[in-house]
Amino acid sequence: MPRLADIDEISSLVLFVASDDAGYSTGVEFVADGGNLLGPVPAAKS
């Protein structure tokens, strides 16, 4: 995903982490980087 995140995408994650719904997800790292840690996407073959 070669784009920056929308405000709604990041704020939804922040609201989830701050809510009681995330109570079972303690000690976890949430990465909101659009897949950038995976590295470059290979070009499609024609």
Side-chain angles (χ1 to χ4, degrees), residues 5-38:
D6 292 331
I7 292 172
D8 292 337
E9 293 170 317
I10 299 300
S11 61
S12 295
L13 176 60
V14 171
L15 288 173
F16 169 72
V17 172
S19 74
D20 290 336
D21 291 336
Y24 195 72
S25 300
T26 58
V28 180
E29 181 178 325
F30 292 97
V31 180
D33 71 348
N36 284 324
L37 285 177
L38 297 175

